[in-house]
């Protein structure tokens, strides 16, 4: 690894570095991220939405003082959207300027070469990760991209380099620290997984979720944090369309803070449930089950 590559002595050291950013990593996350850093391999994080996959990349970026470059995958994403594109409006303006200034005396080859320079290159996340490294590259929700994009990404991750026909090869001086996430809406191909270290993230248990709430929301009382975490854990055991993640748990606790509540009772829960549930069917299901029952314990 180059001198610019992030270094860390042990999983425990990494856990402490992440803790300093507000990300409470369990032993499994700390070990997986530590090995990814030490081995120079991408880290493939899979799990339900809201389990802290994306936040891990942000926390690694902050812990090591590296820029975070995010590639948000979606259906239909292609290489041009991920890698680079040419700024055609500016190229056209440049071309018209040349024509006006030269009275048509410029050679076509000279004009063409002047159009394909870094001046008119629009670097997308993957190219920026290669040129700006060391950095943390977050490839978010790779399961939403199609097979062709996976194959393209595989090549980039293998070589840490791309070739731009008009400019030549662009190679990262230091490989970026890559975190890929998937909500497992479909299976990612084994070829991509083989290039990565894999870790499945679960929702935090009650004690860890209480700790996260108290760490991320200054001033929240111990009892309110416990009640919110307990209620969210109970919601996750119900058959909901969208079980709440940690982000919703934090939103709910912040909403209660804004209302100056020190405890979570059934009336307040009913009034603020929209902070944690995002589907009408889920709200109705929880109401039928009874909020008193949800808060019991």
């Amino acid at each position: 690894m180059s001198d610019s590559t992030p270094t860390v002595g042990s999983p425990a050291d990494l856990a402490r570095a992440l803790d300093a950013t507000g990300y409470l990593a369990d032993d499994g996350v700390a070990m997986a991220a530590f090995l990814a850093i030490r081995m120079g391999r991408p880290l493939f994080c899979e799990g339900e939405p809201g389990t802290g996959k994306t936040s891990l990349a942000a926390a690694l970026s902050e812990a090591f003082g590296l820029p975070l470059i995010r590639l948000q995958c979606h259906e239909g994403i292609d290489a041009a959207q991920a890698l680079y594109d040419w700024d055609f409006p500016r190229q056209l303006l440049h071309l018209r300027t040349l024509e006006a200034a030269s009275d048509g005396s410029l050679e076509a080859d000279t004009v063409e070469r002047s159009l394909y320079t870094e001046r008119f290159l629009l670097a997308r996340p993957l190219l920026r990760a290669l040129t700006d490294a060391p950095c943390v590259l977050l490839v978010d929700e790779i399961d939403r991209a199609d097979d062709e994009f996976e194959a393209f990404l595989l090549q980039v991750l293998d070589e840490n380099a791309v070739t731009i026909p008009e400019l030549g090869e662009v190679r990262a001086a230091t490989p970026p620290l890559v975190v890929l996430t998937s909500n497992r809406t479909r299976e990612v191909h084994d070829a991509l997984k083989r290039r990565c270290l894999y870790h499945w993230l679960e929702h935090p248990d009650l004690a860890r979720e209480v700790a996260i709430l108290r760490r991320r929301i200054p001033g929240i009382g111990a009892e309110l944090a416990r009640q919110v975490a307990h209620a969210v854990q109970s919601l996750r055991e119900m058959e909901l369309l969208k079980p709440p993640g940690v982000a919703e748990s934090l939103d709910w606790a912040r909403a209660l803070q804004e209302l100056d509540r020190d405890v979570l009772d059934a009336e307040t829960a009913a009034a603020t449930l929209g902070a944690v549930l995002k589907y009408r069917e889920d709200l109705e299901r929880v109401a039928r089950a009874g909020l008193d029952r949800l808060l019991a314990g």
Side-chain angles (χ1 to χ4, degrees):
M1 292 188 291
S2 88
D3 293 340
S4 299
T5 303
T7 57
V8 63
S10 68
D13 289 343
L14 180 59
R16 282 190 287 273
L18 294 173
D19 183 285
T21 73
Y23 187 95
L24 303 184
D26 61 25
D27 291 344
V29 170
M31 177 62 77
F34 168 77
L35 291 175
I37 293 168
R38 293 297 291 260
M39 297 170 66
R41 299 278 292 278
L43 177 60
F44 186 89
C45 295
E46 199 166 47
E48 297 292 328
T51 50
K53 304 182 293 296
T54 301
S55 300
L56 173 60
L60 287 168
S61 166
E62 183 177 348
F64 292 112
L66 298 174
L68 175 65
I69 298 177
R70 179 174 181 168
L71 173 62
Q72 178 63 54
C73 297
H74 55 81
E75 185 177 356
I77 188 172
D78 58 24
Q81 293 170 309
L83 194 54
Y84 73 91
D85 207 346
W86 292 105
D87 191 343
F88 292 119
R90 289 191 65 210
Q91 286 177 313
L92 183 59
L93 182 63
H94 176 70
L95 180 60
R96 289 175 175 170
T97 301
L98 288 178
E99 289 174 343
S102 65
D103 294 328
S105 59
L106 284 176
E107 293 183 1
D109 289 347
T110 303
V111 173
E112 186 172 345
R113 282 197 299 273
S114 74
L115 290 173
Y116 292 98
T117 64
E118 292 186 12
R119 176 184 175 187
F120 300 110
L121 187 68
L122 298 175
R124 304 303 188 196
L126 287 183
L127 183 58
R128 286 169 43 215
L130 296 178
T131 56
D132 294 355
C135 64
V136 176
L137 170 62
L138 168 63
V139 182
D140 212 8
E141 299 182 340
I142 183 62
D143 51 320
R144 297 177 65 181
D146 54 28
D147 294 349
E148 290 75 14
F149 184 77
E150 259 190 51
F152 160 75
L153 183 63
L154 186 61
Q155 182 180 359
V156 175
L157 294 182
D158 262 352
E159 301 177 1
N160 284 305
V162 296
T163 298
I164 301 174
E166 298 85 353
L167 300 179
E169 183 185 80
V170 177
R171 180 174 295 278
T174 302
L177 174 56
V178 181
V179 178
L180 300 99
T181 76
S182 167
N183 294 330
R184 208 175 190 180
T185 57
R186 69 170 178 83
E187 287 295 333
V188 173
H189 284 195
D190 289 344
L192 182 59
K193 286 184 176 179
R194 277 198 298 271
R195 268 69 174 181
C196 306
L197 299 185
Y198 177 85
H199 187 70
W200 174 266
L201 280 84
E202 300 277 3
H203 287 294
D205 61 21
L206 178 62
R208 182 168 296 277
E209 189 143 16
V210 171
I212 291 172
L213 289 170
R214 300 202 69 186
R215 184 59 186 277
R216 299 287 295 276
I217 305 179
I220 189 172
E223 178 59 16
L224 182 58
R226 189 198 65 78
Q227 286 184 307
V228 170
H230 171 76
V232 170
Q233 300 260 333
S234 299
L235 288 171
R236 289 180 190 140
E237 295 173 356
M238 301 175 70
E239 294 184 2
L240 301 177
L241 293 176
K242 171 65 172 67
V246 173
E248 284 78 19
S249 183
L250 290 165
D251 279 348
W252 201 9
R254 290 191 181 105
L256 296 169
Q257 257 198 335
E258 292 295 327
L259 297 172
D260 296 324
R261 296 293 193 274
D262 296 323
V263 294
L264 179 61
D265 54 40
E267 181 180 358
T268 305
T272 57
L273 211 52
V276 70
L277 297 178
K278 307 303 170 72
Y279 286 87
R280 178 174 60 85
E281 293 87 343
D282 288 346
L283 292 168
E284 292 174 348
R285 182 182 294 272
V286 171
R288 283 197 302 271
L291 287 168
D292 288 327
R293 182 180 169 188
L294 178 73
L295 300 176

